Amino acid sequence: YINILSNRHGMKLAANGGEEAENMVEDETSSRQSALPLVALGESHNVILAAQSKNAIALARLVADDGSFIEAHELEGLVLQGSDAISHCMLVGHEHSNKLGCLLTLSAAFGGNGLALGHSGLQLASRAGSEASTIMSARRCPLFLATVGCALEIANRHLRRMYPSVGDEWIQLRRFHVLRDDFTQRNGMLVRTKAIDRPAVLSRFAHIIDDMFRHDLIDRTGPGAGLSGRGREEEPTPPPQKMAGLDGDHQDDGRSRVG
């Protein structure tokens, strides 16, 4: 259900002995995902998968216009640098979209039950003019989410400077979703080294990734096609609303589009 790359980067890598396309690629979840395939994202861009669940994709690496690799954790690190309120970031995509997105979690108050925003989250809310004090209220606050979107735009500006080629213009974060629960070892979202268990996160939240890219799916295949698990109890999907501060749609459950 996914096409192995046949464009010039894929041919270039194959001509180098095919190591990147055929051999094992080590990732922080390599104990469970030993061989990561080189594939085409949205039939046009080069990526290496960490895992795939139907059409939803967890990304391990991107392939730049010059054929060099960009590690997913490097992009994720740029997002984390943009806001202390974000505790984890995981790069994701969709087979039928040429855009990149990420799943985000927020830092909770230390010693609490995981529901109250941590100090950095409260500071972000204050700067945004938001009254959010819990993770659930932050996920539903347009002002808070707009400020999170600004952190992604900061990361995007860095990416534009790092990869100025016209062929690398797609290397921008255009979708994000703030999850209700943080990633922990206890809930199985982190491995022993505290790195994100990408296959486990994808398995749990594939339906959310489908919904993040549903506008792209509608453009390609018609209303509602290719979606799975929408409206599940753990992550409800209310009707879309417009939100000031982001060029796109906002759903009041933690999902936003950047550009």
Side-chain angles (χ1 to χ4, degrees), residues 82-239:
S83 176
D84 293 338
I86 302 172
S87 56
H88 291 99
C89 172
M90 191 180 97
L91 190 64
V92 299
H94 198 280
E95 186 181 3
H96 299 307
S97 175
N98 59 7
K99 294 180 173 63
L100 299 175
C102 56
L103 298 177
L104 304 176
T105 64
L106 300 176
S107 300
F110 181 76
N113 55 10
L115 301 178
L117 281 174
H119 179 66
S120 56
L122 293 174
Q123 286 185 320
L124 187 150
S126 177
R127 291 196 302 270
S130 168
E131 296 182 355
S133 60
T134 66
I135 290 176
M136 287 299 292
S137 60
R139 295 174 71 243
R140 295 179 178 275
C141 177
L143 294 173
F144 190 96
L145 292 178
T147 307
V148 172
C150 289
L152 268 68
E153 274 301 337
I154 292 172
N156 283 338
R157 287 199 292 271
H158 283 294
L159 290 169
R160 286 192 289 270
R161 288 195 294 267
M162 294 165 63
Y163 305 100
S165 169
V166 173
D168 290 332
E169 289 180 347
W170 66 280
I171 305 174
Q172 296 282 288
L173 296 167
R174 297 301 187 191
R175 306 281 187 273
F176 71 91
H177 182 107
V178 179
L179 297 169
R180 185 172 60 190
D181 299 318
D182 202 355
F183 297 158
T184 66
Q185 286 182 273
R186 179 173 295 182
N187 63 20
M189 300 297 104
L190 299 181
V191 298
R192 287 182 301 171
T193 60
K194 302 299 179 66
I196 297 173
D197 189 332
R198 298 178 192 272
V201 173
L202 182 69
S203 177
R204 180 170 176 181
F205 299 112
H207 64 290
I208 290 175
I209 297 170
D210 277 336
D211 203 50
M212 286 171 64
F213 295 96
R214 67 187 180 91
H215 292 281
D216 302 327
L217 294 177
I218 290 171
D219 291 342
R220 288 171 173 267
T221 59
L227 301 181
S228 63
R230 289 184 58 199
R232 290 189 184 180
E233 187 177 27
E234 67 272 24
E235 294 286 346
T237 306

Side-chain angles (χ1 to χ4, degrees), residues 2-83:
I2 194 161
N3 296 322
I4 299 299
L5 283 179
S6 59
N7 60 23
R8 63 188 182 90
H9 294 307
M11 296 296 288
K12 177 181 177 181
L13 294 172
N16 275 335
E19 292 183 357
E20 291 86 352
E22 298 178 6
N23 292 350
M24 293 174 59
V25 181
E26 292 301 320
D27 183 65
E28 58 260 47
T29 56
S30 59
S31 61
R32 294 179 51 186
Q33 194 77 7
S34 59
L36 305 181
L38 185 67
V39 303
L41 181 68
E43 302 178 356
S44 58
H45 302 311
N46 308 3
V47 298
I48 291 179
L49 302 188
Q52 181 168 5
S53 177
K54 296 184 178 179
N55 294 319
I57 295 170
L59 301 174
R61 293 173 174 175
L62 311 180
V63 183
D65 190 50
D66 62 0
S68 62
F69 287 126
I70 307 168
E71 301 292 340
H73 65 78
E74 294 177 3
L75 274 72
E76 294 159 356
L78 290 176
V79 174
L80 297 178
Q81 291 174 21
S83 176

